[in-house]
Amino acid sequence: MQVVFHLGAHCTDEDGLIRALGPDRGRLKEAGVSVPEPARYRMKLRDALYTLKGAPADSALQQEILTAAGHDSPPKRLVFSHEFFTCLPDRVVTKRGFYQMVPDKLGPLANLFPEAQVEFHMALINPAVLMPALVARQRKSSYEELIAGQDPRSLRWAPVVRRMVEAAEGRPLILWCNEDMPLIWPEILRSLTGLNEGARLSGDEALLEQIIEPEGLERLHVYLRSHPPRSATQRRKVVTAFLEKFARPETLEIDISLPGWDAGLIAAMTADYDADIAEIAAMPGVRFIAS
């Protein structure tokens, strides 16, 4: 059995990938791919991780998890998704640093199904965007509490991913940029499900439906039907052109207003993020879905 853990990160797709796969659950099941509704299994996984404390699950507990996910017997490929697999939102930054808990979670997650072929998938997000989003989302926590005394420039992905590669112990680690998701959404769906590039999925345009004006979306559908892309690269070029012309302005606006933050800091953090992504994309042990 192949088991996929989609880890988030926080403030990225907000369960959008799993919702996009929902209409195709029947077709996916025929291919041996299970994408259960998260509400079915999240509490069971949380309880199992707490009980095991990193130890391998026995066959009885594995069957309990499968049953919670709606299975009497193991499917060929099983997809679990939850940003809380990494940590709670108010633990993204701690006195230890940025996402320091994430690498330590991979082994215990893999041990839920110790004999399975386990994969880890995760979106990365610019910390200059992530922190304002966390502050807006965690209304009971102040910015000062969420930043935990850390310098914003210290919120770097490359050190986290290097530790994740080590913790994955050779298991596939598939990463992408949240900022690229409108262009690579179909590739991410196929990466999660294990389907080939040519497979059709109902949710291929689910994200574009949220960010492109209705008129532009209809024109895009007509264009794609009359000019089917020959490759993922060609499709990205088409989508980029339509986004430039028809993207809803409000979906492109990001309000970054935090104490002590100015344009210089945001630009520096974004440059650090770009440098980290270039390093991560070249890391051995990482499969990076690039735009």
Side-chain angles (χ1 to χ4, degrees), residues 36-172:
E37 295 180 4
R40 299 184 63 123
Y41 60 76
R42 284 180 172 171
M43 292 297 290
K44 172 58 69 174
L45 289 188
R46 187 200 68 174
D47 293 345
L49 288 166
Y50 178 80
T51 299
L52 291 169
K53 293 180 170 55
D58 60 22
S59 57
L61 182 53
Q62 291 179 55
Q63 186 56 55
E64 288 181 23
I65 297 172
L66 288 174
T67 300
H71 294 282
D72 296 325
S73 58
K76 178 182 176 182
R77 187 175 178 89
L78 179 57
V79 180
F80 293 121
S81 177
H82 198 358
E83 63 185 30
F84 286 20
F85 285 151
T86 56
C87 63
L88 295 174
D90 60 2
R91 304 294 289 169
V92 169
V93 185
T94 67
K95 292 180 179 180
R96 291 175 55 203
F98 181 60
Y99 268 127
Q100 290 297 299
M101 297 180 179
V102 177
D104 297 334
K105 298 297 181 70
L106 303 192
L109 284 169
N111 273 340
L112 292 174
F113 293 95
E115 298 176 2
Q117 299 174 28
V118 172
E119 301 177 11
F120 301 106
H121 292 58
M122 189 168 75
L124 308 182
I125 180 173
N126 185 349
V129 175
L130 172 60
M131 287 309 302
L134 284 174
V135 171
R137 177 172 160 178
Q138 300 296 110
R139 298 188 180 277
K140 294 183 179 180
S141 300
S142 67
Y143 164 70
E144 288 76 15
E145 290 170 324
L146 290 173
I147 198 69
Q150 297 290 339
D151 181 343
R153 291 287 302 274
S154 72
L155 310 183
R156 302 292 297 266
W157 276 111
V160 178
V161 174
R162 280 196 296 270
R163 290 182 55 219
M164 290 178 70
V165 170
E166 294 178 5
E169 297 183 332
R171 299 179 182 93

Side-chain angles (χ1 to χ4, degrees), residues 101-253:
M101 297 180 179
V102 177
D104 297 334
K105 298 297 181 70
L106 303 192
L109 284 169
N111 273 340
L112 292 174
F113 293 95
E115 298 176 2
Q117 299 174 28
V118 172
E119 301 177 11
F120 301 106
H121 292 58
M122 189 168 75
L124 308 182
I125 180 173
N126 185 349
V129 175
L130 172 60
M131 287 309 302
L134 284 174
V135 171
R137 177 172 160 178
Q138 300 296 110
R139 298 188 180 277
K140 294 183 179 180
S141 300
S142 67
Y143 164 70
E144 288 76 15
E145 290 170 324
L146 290 173
I147 198 69
Q150 297 290 339
D151 181 343
R153 291 287 302 274
S154 72
L155 310 183
R156 302 292 297 266
W157 276 111
V160 178
V161 174
R162 280 196 296 270
R163 290 182 55 219
M164 290 178 70
V165 170
E166 294 178 5
E169 297 183 332
R171 299 179 182 93
L173 179 61
I174 297 91
L175 305 175
W176 59 89
C177 287
N178 181 63
E179 297 79 10
D180 293 339
M181 288 184 73
L183 303 181
I184 60 175
W185 184 265
E187 290 96 305
I188 299 170
L189 293 179
R190 282 151 188 78
S191 181
L192 289 173
T193 58
L195 299 181
N196 60 45
E197 182 179 331
R200 278 292 302 166
L201 287 170
S202 302
D204 275 345
E205 272 78 55
L207 182 57
L208 294 179
E209 290 170 0
Q210 301 174 34
I211 62 178
I212 291 183
E213 298 285 359
E215 176 193 356
L217 187 66
E218 179 58 30
R219 290 190 184 186
L220 174 61
H221 289 160
V222 170
Y223 186 89
L224 291 176
R225 284 195 297 267
S226 59
H227 302 81
R230 297 181 180 178
S231 66
T233 300
Q234 190 178 66
R235 183 184 183 279
R236 289 173 199 154
K237 291 180 180 178
V238 173
V239 170
T240 297
F242 275 82
L243 283 171
E244 289 175 350
K245 188 172 183 179
F246 295 107
R248 296 176 177 175
E250 67 272 16
T251 67
L252 303 178
E253 297 171 358

Side-chain angles (χ1 to χ4, degrees), residues 126-133 135-136 143 152 179 252-267 269-270:
N126 185 349
V129 175
L130 172 60
M131 287 309 302
V135 171
Y143 164 70
E179 297 79 10
L252 303 178
E253 297 171 358
I254 301 174
D255 181 20
I256 301 178
S257 178
L258 294 176
W261 286 40
D262 58 20
L265 174 62
I266 294 167
M269 291 177 69
T270 300

